[in-house]
Amino acid sequence: MANFESVVLTENGLRLLTKASSGDAEDVLRFTHMAIGHGILPENANPEQLTDLTQKITDMEIIRFDITGPGVSEVTGMITNSQFSEPVTVFEVGVYAEDPDNGGEVLYMYSYTRSTPAYIDPPNPTPVVIEISLVTIIDDAENVTANVIFPLYAGSVRYKDDNTSLEANNVQSAIEKLKAFIISTANALQSAINGIIQDAVTTAGTALSKSGNALNHQNYGTEGTYTKVTTNAQGHVTSGSNVTAGDIPNLDWSKITTGKPATLAGYGITDAAPSSHVGAGGTAQHPLANGTTAGFSLNDFTAALKTKLDGIATGATKVTIENVLTSTATANALSAAQGKALQDNKVAKAGDTMTGTLTTRSVNIQSGYVLQHNGTTIIDTSGIVARAKYNDLAELFPKPTVATVGSQGSADLEPGDVVGYNWVADTVCKGYNQNEFAVVGVYSDTYGMILGGEEEKTLKENLITHVPIGLTGRVNVKVTGAVNPGDILVASSIPGVAFAKRHNYSKKVGIALAPHSGSEIDKIPMMVSR
């Protein structure tokens, strides 16, 4: 027989009890349900601090609530053993109450045992209804209630101890009462459904009909797929038909945004002429030419000219037509391909304006002609080139690679670098006074004229594979140390950088044209001089 050692009011339960004992009519202590568990409370655990069973088995509905004395009540819950397939050992029971502060539930009372649990066996074979009662403390709470389900069970064999009771009820009696309750509820539900169906029929009129407990929708028209339908006030389709031409409204042309034909043929017009070209009787003709209207009429031509026109072959070129009309020898006429070639390769004459890019291998400037840019003469009538934008003459040398310069120099060139020449690899690298490469010039980005490169490539293409090296003129060069105008610049111990020195000309680069101070590397203008 079960012998639960203690029943405890939890801290949450005490909070709810204190609130319900305040005397406020709105503060109600309401028990919601019970639960059983098979967890064994540890020796050092404080049951008052529990918020739930340690190992819950199942929840129980409350079937009875009695106030048994001052400050004490008894809550009884119910389960059936039909939900268990194996024996269940009950070590703990709890009563839960509604928490108005957070809208949830809290564990109110907790009863437990560590050594004498209750046992619930599975059906063998008939199921048994189990009642479990727990004494609860309600103190001075004035408003105490419980969520009690319909009391189906009465008459029982009860096993009772001081705080907890287990009841095995008469199953047959419970089944009979449950059956009566279900029948009563079903009858009420059927009556309500019948009322709903009747209201629906009344509201929908002839759209619905009632046959027994079934609600039927009336048939309208013939079953099928339609592009146009008619509905009644309830939204039911009452008829259907297909769209006709008369159903399409008149639309302004601007409303049609897609599917417009792009040709006359798209509108079903096979032959057409502008209205201004249509004469009397619908015959197409050009208008007569006058001071304001372009065009012509066959009536404008003489008989001899009409004969010439008739003799021109279909597809004849403009030159052919001109030769025929002016009686020029046909041997001088150009074919269509020749005419196009002449147009594509025509030579500009005096007064012509050419735009775009002119790509040519050579330009011959005749006496009296000049090549100009924005009105400034670049090549004059004597063939002298003048007014170059920049200052030095450069030559394109093949770009170096790590493989071509080896350990003797750096292949990482940039404008302003002193450049040495590797005559073995036929390439250039950064020049300095520690390698054996002869200094040939400076990497220039201010050249006014450039030489060399691959003939079949443009300058832009050549600059991908070549480096422009300033040979003479003014060019910006990297220097270090103190430099004064007029100083001789030679290759330093830093690859690609020059410095001023007056007595060693073996690595001479040029003559400085501006001062420099300090050890930082910078660029100054220099006259290339060997």
Side-chain angles (χ1 to χ4, degrees), residues 401-422:
T401 64
V402 174
T404 58
V405 301
S407 61
Q408 291 293 315
S410 172
D412 184 19
L413 289 176
E414 60 184 14
D417 280 337
V418 175
V419 179
Y421 178 66
N422 183 344

Side-chain angles (χ1 to χ4, degrees), residues 124-139:
N124 186 25
T126 306
V128 176
V129 176
I130 308 298
E131 289 185 11
I132 299 179
S133 299
L134 189 64
V135 175
T136 54
I137 300 173
I138 58 175
D139 202 14

Side-chain angles (χ1 to χ4, degrees), residues 81-96:
N81 66 348
S82 59
Q83 61 182 296
F84 305 124
S85 60
E86 295 180 355
V88 174
T89 305
V90 180
F91 282 90
E92 53 185 348
V93 180
V95 175
Y96 294 78

Side-chain angles (χ1 to χ4, degrees), residues 39-47 50 54-55 92 110 112-114:
I40 300 175
L41 187 69
E43 291 289 347
N44 60 348
N46 183 358
L50 292 179
T54 60
Q55 294 186 43
E92 53 185 348
Y110 179 73
Y112 65 96
T113 181
R114 293 189 177 95

Side-chain angles (χ1 to χ4, degrees), residues 104-123:
E105 297 177 329
V106 298
L107 179 62
Y108 183 85
M109 297 292 296
Y110 179 73
S111 181
Y112 65 96
T113 181
R114 293 189 177 95
S115 58
T116 56
Y119 298 93
I120 302 177
D121 293 322

Side-chain angles (χ1 to χ4, degrees), residues 123-411:
N124 186 25
T126 306
V128 176
V129 176
I130 308 298
E131 289 185 11
I132 299 179
S133 299
L134 189 64
V135 175
T136 54
I137 300 173
I138 58 175
D139 202 14
D140 295 330
E142 297 181 1
N143 298 318
V144 185
T145 184
N147 295 339
V148 180
I149 67 170
F150 186 78
L152 298 176
Y153 309 103
S156 63
V157 179
R158 176 172 297 187
Y159 305 96
K160 200 171 189 61
D161 56 44
D162 293 338
N163 299 313
T164 307
S165 66
L166 303 179
E167 299 179 358
N169 291 325
N170 187 298
V171 176
Q172 187 60 41
S173 174
I175 293 174
E176 292 298 327
K177 291 184 179 182
L178 179 60
K179 183 188 298 183
F181 173 73
I182 292 174
I183 292 174
S184 174
T185 302
N187 289 338
L189 181 60
Q190 182 64 59
S191 177
I193 292 174
N194 288 339
I196 293 172
I197 293 175
Q198 189 58 51
D199 289 344
V201 172
T202 302
T203 302
T206 58
L208 299 174
S209 64
K210 180 176 178 295
S211 177
N213 294 329
L215 189 62
N216 300 319
H217 192 284
Q218 297 296 317
N219 294 330
Y220 290 95
T222 304
E223 180 181 357
T225 301
Y226 302 96
T227 56
K228 183 174 68 173
V229 296
T230 302
T231 65
N232 60 15
Q234 286 75 38
H236 300 114
V237 175
T238 58
S239 64
S241 61
N242 292 317
V243 174
T244 64
D247 295 319
I248 301 174
N250 294 325
L251 297 175
D252 185 80
W253 187 246
S254 62
K255 300 293 184 183
I256 302 174
T257 58
T258 60
K260 294 180 181 180
T263 62
L264 290 175
Y267 294 95
I269 303 173
T270 55
D271 294 303
S275 59
S276 60
H277 289 184
V278 178
T283 302
Q285 64 181 24
H286 290 281
L288 297 178
N290 54 45
T292 59
T293 303
F296 63 87
S297 169
L298 291 176
N299 295 328
D300 297 332
F301 296 106
T302 64
L305 191 54
K306 290 180 181 179
T307 300
K308 290 184 179 181
L309 290 174
D310 291 338
I312 298 175
T314 302
T317 66
K318 175 183 177 182
V319 176
T320 301
I321 297 173
E322 290 176 346
N323 288 342
V324 170
L325 296 179
T326 58
S327 299
T328 304
T330 56
N332 295 329
L334 298 176
S335 65
Q338 291 172 326
K340 185 176 187 310
L342 180 62
Q343 174 71 18
D344 291 343
N345 297 281
K346 65 183 181 181
V347 178
K349 62 182 182 297
D352 285 351
T353 300
M354 300 180 66
T355 60
T357 302
L358 175 63
T359 302
T360 180
R361 293 299 180 188
S362 62
V363 178
N364 294 323
I365 302 179
Q366 299 177 2
S367 177
Y369 291 85
V370 296
L371 182 62
Q372 294 183 329
H373 177 263
N374 292 335
T376 301
T377 300
I378 304 301
I379 302 177
D380 64 13
T381 55
S382 301
I384 297 175
V385 178
R387 304 186 68 85
K389 182 177 180 180
Y390 292 117
N391 310 311
D392 64 277
L393 170 65
E395 181 179 349
L396 291 173
F397 282 77
K399 264 188 178 179
T401 64
V402 174
T404 58
V405 301
S407 61
Q408 291 293 315
S410 172

